Amino acid sequence: MEKILTKNFGLKDSHLLSVYESTGGYGTLKKLFAMQAKDVIEEVKKSGLRGRGGAGFPTGMKWSFVPQDNPKPKYLCVNADESEPGTFKDRYILELDPHRLIEGIVICCYAIRSHAAYIYIRGEFVFPYHRLEAAVKEAYAKGYLGKNILGSGYDLEVVVHRGAGAYICGEETALMESLEGKRGMPRLKPPFPAVVGLFGCPTVINNVETISALPYILENGPDAYRKYGTEKSPGTKLFCVSGHVQRPGNYEVPLGYPLKKLIYEDCGGMRDGKALKAVIPGGSSVPILTAAEAEEVTLDYEGLAAKGSMLGSGGVIVMDETVDMVKSLTNLAHFYSHESCGQCSPCREGTGWSHKILKRILAGEGRPGDIEQLEKNADHMMGKTICVLADALAMPYIGK
Amino acid sequence: MAFEFTAENKRKFDEILTRYPVQRAAMLPALWLAQQQHGWISHEVMEYVGSLLGLSPAKVYETVTFYTMFHLKPIGRHHFQVCRTLPCQLMGAEGITSHLEKKLGVKLGETSGDGRYTLSEVECLGSCGTAPMLQLNDDYHENLTPEKLDALIASLK
Ligand SMILES: Cc1cc2nc3c(=O)[nH]c(=O)nc-3n(C[C@H](O)[C@H](O)[C@H](O)COP(=O)(O)O)c2cc1C
Ligand code: SF4
Ligand code: FES
């Protein structure tokens, strides 16, 4: 299979502009500037590209929600906060192919008629941050960013903005609050960011991987992109495999790919001859699959939904027969209680109490009623809060 | 003691301000600059950043304390931050932490008396495919083993 997102990963100095250009990089910009903005949105809609940050929302449709009769400036936020446990794909795009992202940013901004993009990168990613900053500088120097790009009359400023450690800032409206210099607390929706987003202006927010697919789509057309994947989940996706496999790492495969094949062929199977016990297929916030479910499921939005889980961010966490499930759940409860922004009581209290109860069960000090209490907590958390962080921890108890 | 930016950092800060239509958006970049210069975010730093952005120190404080990477007190010269989240736990993160506690002579969450080491646990660092792993100051160290940790510690100045 042709690689779309990772094709340059193996090249020497793949992060440099000269290397990106030598593979045809920035070649789509000429074509882009000859097109009408609305036709670019049409192409992306036809490609069927869906958001790779977790929710899988159709990208072209999201862009079309930006009101073009609104006189305010329009913004793009690129979500490079990558903090969902099990997910480590955007980091590699930032390190190894930052120019593909920048070219994608130009495409998106031109389509939504924006002249400013902010890339919000998690604070811990210091090395990727330096790579990205250097790439943005190179792109400015070469005239791919800034005023009058390639003589088109189109201007675009790109700013790289560092976070400072907070998982919740990956949630789109928390990211905007954080960018505005505040605590990263999610906003109530509506209004949606497309209408009232960053600095109170219409804003599109997309994940790094989503944006990085755009140069291919514009260059080769929606049909070429649709050659891969399924009808409802077109294209390729990066899956980040961690846990008990022989060869963990990033794998770019067409959507619809069997999880079994990913684990047993691409990743070389389970390590130390152990048996598979369970898989969390889309980052820690999606429901877990049993070994039997994992061996049947295909990696696409509809395939995972059919098994009661979600594609999420593509973080595939593989667990072998030795794993203690109570311990694993306690670990995640710690994570969510630590990362809850605290503004909704059901989430702040629910994640905290769930963690406390699980810790005592794990220590062999469980009390009668603990399980019922956990279920009750989950019921209080599910669907009752400003963002879905609370749901992520509630789902395992409800048994999805 | 009052804090202010060095002339060079003040210049950087003035450039940063031009990137945003709203002054307050320069908050995190300003705090990063300040932490680089001062090592941590003291109350004086918060007052100073507030004065630059036209905000009360309380507004700066509420922001600083929301994020894990701003230090509210001085930390060790070598800050070991072991990832503790599930994928790393599956691959033996707990062993990494206990090995470091032994070798560095500090307990989790503490700084050594000579200010040389701080040992912390952090949540997923986006490096789960190369677990277990840690961040030492700015840098990631991946696929850790006790031997690798020993070599890492020995290499520190
Ligand atoms: C708690 C929480 C954390 C999130 N973290 C991230 C993240 O780290 N990166 C990301 O791209 N999206 C994250 N998202 C999803 C974003 O809110 C948003 O849907 C996404 O950035 C949209 O881009 P896309 O349509 O290209 O996927 C998170 C959502 C929630 C609720
Ligand atoms: S659900 Fe939790 S993380 Fe989300 S806004 Fe409410 S308190 Fe914050
Ligand atoms: S769980 Fe440790 S890097 Fe993701």
Side-chain angles (χ1 to χ4, degrees):
Chain A
M1 184 203 78
E2 173 190 24
K3 302 283 187 217
I4 291 175
L5 300 158
T6 56
K7 73 171 183 181
N8 285 2
F9 277 23
L11 299 181
K12 187 173 178 299
D13 294 330
S14 60
H15 60 287
L16 296 180
L17 184 123
S18 55
V19 175
Y20 186 58
E21 280 179 328
S22 74
T23 64
Y26 290 110
T28 61
L29 295 191
K30 266 213 170 73
K31 183 171 172 186
L32 176 73
F33 296 134
M35 288 171 78
Q36 297 278 330
K38 64 174 186 354
D39 297 333
V40 180
I41 298 184
E42 253 345 278
E43 289 283 282
V44 175
K45 269 190 185 165
K46 276 192 212 144
S47 75
L49 176 64
R50 296 171 65 167
R52 306 296 194 224
F57 195 82
T59 304
M61 199 192 299
K62 184 186 275 190
W63 297 1
S64 69
F65 294 155
V66 174
Q68 287 302 337
D69 52 359
N70 190 321
K72 289 186 177 169
K74 288 144 196 86
Y75 294 109
L76 168 67
C77 288
V78 178
N79 195 337
D81 195 52
E82 188 153 76
S83 315
E84 172 79 4
T87 316
F88 48 91
K89 62 193 177 65
D90 300 338
R91 173 182 160 210
Y92 286 93
I93 296 177
L94 298 165
E95 284 182 13
L96 298 174
D97 208 359
H99 286 288
R100 186 173 309 280
L101 174 67
I102 296 170
E103 185 173 2
I105 289 172
V106 181
I107 295 169
C108 173
C109 287
Y110 181 82
I112 62 167
R113 295 190 163 87
S114 160
H115 300 285
Y118 293 92
I119 307 173
Y120 186 101
I121 180 169
R122 69 178 292 181
E124 294 87 345
F125 279 178
V126 181
F127 180 68
Y129 165 73
H130 288 304
R131 279 263 164 107
L132 184 60
E133 276 272 277
V136 167
K137 267 211 185 91
E138 275 190 308
Y140 267 105
K142 222 27 204 314
Y144 293 132
L145 292 177
K147 294 256 176 288
N148 190 18
I149 299 173
L150 304 181
S152 63
Y154 176 69
D155 305 337
L156 176 62
E157 302 297 328
V158 172
V159 172
V160 186
H161 188 96
R162 281 183 77 194
Y167 164 69
I168 193 59
C169 290
E171 194 280 336
E172 53 191 23
T173 57
L175 183 148
M176 291 170 199
E177 287 286 301
S178 175
L179 230 165
E180 292 177 8
K182 303 175 203 156
R183 292 175 292 181
M185 290 188 168
R187 300 173 180 166
L188 264 177
K189 291 184 268 193
F192 289 94
V195 184
V196 183
L198 186 64
F199 307 125
C201 297
T203 304
V204 161
I205 177 159
N206 276 131
N207 170 258
V208 166
E209 184 187 353
T210 313
I211 296 283
S212 301
L214 297 171
Y216 179 93
I217 293 170
L218 204 74
E219 183 184 347
N220 302 284
D223 293 337
Y225 191 69
R226 281 189 170 276
K227 273 199 322 237
Y228 305 105
T230 69
E231 174 60 29
K232 288 193 178 132
S233 307
T236 66
K237 162 114 192 66
L238 280 168
F239 288 94
C240 321
V241 187
S242 63
H244 299 136
V245 293
Q246 299 270 11
R247 288 189 298 272
N250 267 300
Y251 295 88
E252 181 180 3
V253 296
L255 287 165
Y257 201 77
L259 177 53
K260 187 174 179 179
K261 196 165 169 208
L262 183 67
I263 293 175
Y264 292 100
E265 291 178 27
D266 300 272
C267 297
M270 302 297 291
R271 57 171 67 180
D272 305 330
K274 295 279 190 323
L276 178 67
K277 182 170 193 170
V279 179
I280 304 181
S284 66
S285 300
V286 312
I288 194 165
L289 301 173
T290 62
E293 289 167 330
E295 288 178 0
E296 287 167 8
V297 80
T298 55
L299 295 167
D300 48 84
Y301 298 97
E302 57 281 18
L304 281 152
K307 296 277 180 225
S309 189
M310 292 184 281
L311 185 76
S313 61
V316 178
I317 307 169
V318 181
M319 306 184 197
D320 73 18
E321 56 190 333
T322 65
V323 174
D324 174 343
M325 286 299 163
V326 176
K327 187 173 175 191
S328 301
L329 191 54
T330 310
N331 182 290
L332 290 180
H334 180 286
F335 175 81
Y336 289 105
S337 101
H338 182 259
E339 301 299 335
S340 165
C341 82
Q343 64 176 328
C344 319
S345 332
C347 172
R348 182 186 64 241
E349 303 300 321
T351 53
W353 277 104
S354 301
H355 180 228
K356 273 193 200 132
I357 295 171
L358 280 165
K359 261 205 321 207
R360 81 174 173 236
I361 296 176
L362 190 61
E365 292 159 12
R367 303 174 194 166
D370 274 353
I371 303 293
E372 293 72 19
Q373 186 60 45
L374 283 171
E375 283 168 359
K376 216 162 109 193
N377 279 359
D379 182 48
H380 291 160
M381 282 150 72
M382 192 76 195
K384 299 189 176 68
T385 51
I386 294 178
C387 87
V388 295
L389 182 141
D391 302 50
L393 185 61
M395 278 185 291
Y397 307 101
I398 293 172
K400 44 194 177 190
Chain B
M1 208 182 68
F3 170 87
E4 58 179 56
F5 278 146
T6 60
E8 194 199 337
N9 281 344
K10 182 66 175 52
R11 228 180 315 109
K12 282 191 189 159
F13 172 76
D14 290 337
E15 187 278 316
I16 286 167
L17 272 184
T18 66
R19 302 176 190 171
Y20 307 95
V22 171
Q23 262 199 356
R24 184 169 179 163
M27 173 89 83
L28 296 191
L31 289 168
W32 275 123
L33 264 186
Q35 183 157 289
Q36 258 163 33
Q37 182 180 320
H38 191 62
W40 59 292
I41 306 288
S42 62
H43 282 215
E44 288 76 15
V45 168
M46 295 184 215
E47 277 171 30
Y48 177 70
V49 169
S51 73
L52 290 178
L53 297 174
L55 297 168
S56 69
K59 287 263 182 279
V60 183
Y61 182 84
E62 71 171 35
T63 309
V64 169
T65 51
F66 186 83
Y67 300 92
T68 56
M69 295 183 76
F70 295 129
H71 308 306
L72 294 164
K73 53 180 198 236
I75 56 151
R77 196 144 46 87
H78 305 292
H79 186 194
F80 287 83
Q81 302 152 82
V82 183
C83 175
R84 66 164 301 282
T85 315
L86 185 60
C88 277
Q89 183 185 78
L90 293 174
M91 303 305 287
E94 290 150 314
I96 300 300
T97 304
S98 57
H99 190 82
L100 284 173
E101 282 187 323
K102 232 178 11 227
K103 290 288 158 111
L104 303 177
V106 283
K107 286 245 157 14
L108 197 57
E110 289 180 358
T111 298
S112 58
D114 57 2
R116 191 171 157 82
Y117 301 119
T118 299
L119 178 60
S120 317
E121 261 183 354
V122 293
E123 300 292 349
C124 181
L125 288 170
S127 189
C128 333
T130 44
M133 61 82 62
L134 61 76
Q135 181 163 24
L136 176 57
N137 297 348
D138 285 348
D139 300 325
Y140 279 20
H141 297 271
E142 304 167 48
N143 294 313
L144 294 173
T145 58
E147 296 72 44
K148 268 192 165 173
L149 285 177
D150 292 343
L152 180 61
I153 296 167
S155 74
L156 297 176
K157 288 196 206 76

